């Protein structure tokens, strides 16, 4: 399927607001409701849109996020698929991808603390340890999510991302809220009525609960899963080692990176490196050019970096429990 400017506009409007009513979406893209619905369903049918997920700040629910990079050894296609299948089922894995470069897998875990994370990792190593030659572990201090502004070639003029992380203000939620979060993590595009029917409550209860979860920051935004390969884009990331940055320098480099509308994620990391830059670009040259700009802007701050290409995104669920 070849996408046109209207398709890209629809994708842009859905990003950060995937629960937008069809009538509002149609108005925003200047189409009839029927035509908008047809195009949206076509984007789903052609697997350009792979699903709809709510971005949930699980740090506010008593969890922290940890990253693990794995390098394979003695792995054939069947063994790799077994690992992927197991990670997909793991209820503490938020996100994991296949990489090209110095690492083969990157995984983001949700754990209550470092001991909990260590126990999760021990289980994985017990099952698959013989197939990993090395791994790298870190903690995510904060993960910034940016709109896909490149879809409409929109220039960014301010630092205003969704996120999960920071030192959280813990929020207590009841079982009904947990059930609603689970439904939104599976498909945030489903209506309040559909959710209410599934969990045996009322439309108004679901509506009020979601609004409350948004207001206190547990729900940051509602997004979708996108196959960027079908938009002729490539997904790259760089791990950046910083030279003892001050708070002002940290914010300066984050703000500078965020001005590129192809940058979709910035991650502050506690580990071997301190920053990760992720971008959805038209070519490798575009990403290396972006990275060169960052290095030229902050020559004394950046001491080392590596480039990785994300080949396939296998899982994204911000509430996988």
């Amino acid at each position: 399927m070849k996408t046109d400017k209207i398709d890209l506009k629809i994708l842009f409007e859905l990003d950060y607001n995937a629960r937008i009513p069809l009538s509002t979406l149609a108005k925003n893209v200047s189409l009839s409701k029927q035509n908008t619905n047809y195009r949206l369903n076509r984007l789903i049918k052609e697997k350009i849109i792979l699903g709809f997920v709510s971005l949930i700040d699980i740090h506010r629910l008593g969890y922290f996020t940890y990253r693990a990079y794995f390098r394979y050894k003695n792995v054939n296609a069947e063994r790799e698929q077994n690992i992927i299948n197991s990670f997909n089922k793991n209820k503490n894995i938020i996100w994991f991808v296949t990489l090209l470069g110095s690492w083969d897998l990157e995984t983001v875990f949700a754990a209550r603390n470092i001991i909990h994370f260590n126990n999760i990792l021990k289980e994985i190593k017990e099952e698959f340890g013989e197939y990993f030659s090395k791994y790298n572990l870190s903690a995510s201090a904060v993960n910034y999510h940016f709109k896909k502004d490149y879809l409409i070639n929109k220039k960014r003029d301010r630092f205003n991302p969704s996120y999960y992380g920071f030192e959280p203000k813990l929020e207590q939620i009841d079982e009904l809220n947990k059930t609603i979060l689970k439904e939104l993590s599976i498909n945030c595009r489903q209506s309040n009525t559909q959710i209410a029917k599934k969990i045996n409550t009322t439309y108004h209860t679901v509506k009020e609960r979601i609004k409350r979860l948004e207001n206190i920051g547990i729900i940051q935004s509602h997004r979708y899963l996108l196959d960027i390969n079908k938009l002729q884009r490539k997904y790259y990331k760089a791990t950046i080692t910083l030279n003892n940055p001050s708070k002002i320098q940290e914010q300066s480099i984050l703000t500078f990176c965020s001005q590129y509308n192809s940058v979709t994620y910035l991650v502050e990391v506690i580990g071997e490196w301190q920053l990760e830059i992720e971008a959805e670009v038209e070519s490798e040259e575009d990403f290396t050019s972006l990275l060169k700009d960052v290095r030229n802007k902050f020559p004394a701050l950046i001491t080392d970096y590596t480039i990785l290409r994300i080949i396939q995104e296998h899982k994204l669920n911000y509430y996988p429990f």
Side-chain angles (χ1 to χ4, degrees):
M1 170 183 168
K2 187 175 181 180
T3 55
D4 59 19
K5 288 185 177 181
I6 296 177
D7 292 322
L8 297 180
K9 177 68 171 175
I10 289 171
L11 290 172
F12 176 78
E13 291 294 330
L14 287 168
D15 198 14
Y16 266 38
N17 191 17
R19 286 175 58 80
I20 185 173
L22 185 62
S23 56
T24 306
L25 178 61
K27 181 180 179 181
N28 290 351
V29 299
S30 302
L31 285 180
S32 69
K33 187 175 177 179
Q34 182 180 11
N35 199 352
T36 303
N37 188 50
Y38 168 78
R39 282 179 175 263
L40 176 57
N41 287 332
R42 188 180 60 169
L43 289 167
I44 296 170
K45 181 179 179 181
E46 296 293 331
K47 297 189 182 301
I48 294 173
I49 294 176
L50 302 173
F52 298 93
V53 295
S54 290
L55 170 52
I56 297 163
D57 185 2
I58 60 171
H59 284 233
R60 294 175 184 260
L61 301 177
Y63 289 86
F64 296 94
T65 45
Y66 300 88
R67 290 173 180 264
Y69 288 81
F70 299 94
R71 187 65 168 177
Y72 287 146
K73 69 174 182 181
N74 300 324
V75 169
N76 56 25
E78 181 180 357
R79 287 171 180 166
E80 180 180 21
Q81 192 58 53
N82 287 339
I83 293 170
I84 290 170
N85 291 342
S86 177
F87 279 25
N88 263 321
K89 296 174 184 176
N90 191 306
K91 294 188 180 299
N92 287 97
I93 290 178
I94 294 174
W95 181 74
F96 82 99
V97 293
T98 298
L99 300 170
L100 181 63
S102 54
W103 300 100
D104 295 306
L105 278 179
E106 179 187 1
T107 306
V108 177
F109 294 88
R112 293 185 299 275
N113 50 52
I114 191 68
I115 305 302
H116 183 202
F117 174 53
N118 187 48
N119 290 335
I120 296 167
L121 198 62
K122 281 182 178 179
E123 292 179 2
I124 289 173
K125 288 160 65 178
E126 184 174 344
E127 185 174 4
F128 299 112
E130 63 182 304
Y131 302 127
F132 299 133
S133 63
K134 61 178 180 176
Y135 53 91
N136 180 287
L137 306 177
S138 62
S140 300
V142 58
N143 189 313
Y144 299 102
H145 294 56
F146 297 89
K147 285 194 74 170
K148 300 179 189 296
D149 293 307
Y150 67 79
L151 290 168
I152 60 170
N153 199 27
K154 180 183 178 182
K155 184 177 180 180
R156 289 187 186 145
D157 54 6
R158 60 194 179 112
F159 188 83
N160 187 33
S162 295
Y163 65 88
Y164 62 81
F166 295 111
E167 186 173 355
K169 175 187 176 184
L170 291 180
E171 304 284 354
Q172 299 297 324
I173 62 173
D174 61 18
E175 290 302 317
L176 181 57
N177 277 341
K178 291 177 183 179
T179 304
I180 290 172
L181 288 177
K182 185 63 180 178
E183 287 296 326
L184 293 173
S185 72
I186 295 170
N187 177 13
C188 72
R189 184 70 185 162
Q190 58 184 318
S191 69
N192 294 338
T193 300
Q194 289 171 316
I195 295 173
K197 186 176 181 179
K198 283 184 179 181
I199 65 177
N200 195 28
T201 188
T202 67
Y203 163 87
H204 291 290
T205 297
V206 172
K207 181 181 178 180
E208 291 170 2
R209 294 289 185 119
I210 291 176
K211 189 64 177 178
R212 168 66 177 163
L213 290 167
E214 292 171 341
N215 288 340
I216 63 178
I218 290 177
I219 296 176
Q220 285 282 310
S221 57
H222 304 284
R223 310 198 72 182
Y224 56 80
L225 305 176
L226 179 68
D227 184 351
I228 65 168
N229 295 308
K230 292 182 179 177
L231 300 182
Q232 287 73 56
R233 291 259 167 177
K234 297 177 175 63
Y235 193 172
Y236 282 91
K237 75 179 299 172
T239 63
I240 310 290
T241 304
L242 300 176
N243 181 24
N244 193 30
S246 66
K247 288 185 178 180
I248 293 175
Q249 288 174 318
E250 282 184 342
Q251 189 56 52
S252 181
I253 194 170
L254 288 169
T255 301
F256 183 83
C257 292
S258 72
Q259 73 177 322
Y260 292 87
N261 66 10
S262 62
V263 170
T264 48
Y265 300 96
L266 293 172
V267 188
E268 292 185 36
V269 178
I270 304 168
E272 183 179 338
W273 50 82
Q274 292 72 49
L275 175 65
E276 297 183 0
I277 303 170
E278 301 182 13
E280 298 171 3
V281 292
E282 292 183 347
S283 67
E284 181 179 1
E285 290 74 20
D286 287 344
F287 187 70
T288 55
S289 176
L290 184 160
L291 195 56
K292 184 177 180 180
D293 289 346
V294 178
R295 294 174 65 203
N296 287 340
K297 179 69 174 180
F298 304 94
L301 191 59
I302 297 174
T303 61
D304 197 11
Y305 71 95
T306 59
I307 294 176
L308 299 162
R309 182 178 172 190
I310 296 173
I311 300 299
Q312 185 175 358
E313 189 174 42
H314 297 285
K315 178 181 181 180
L316 179 61
N317 186 330
Y318 293 101
Y319 195 76
F321 314 112

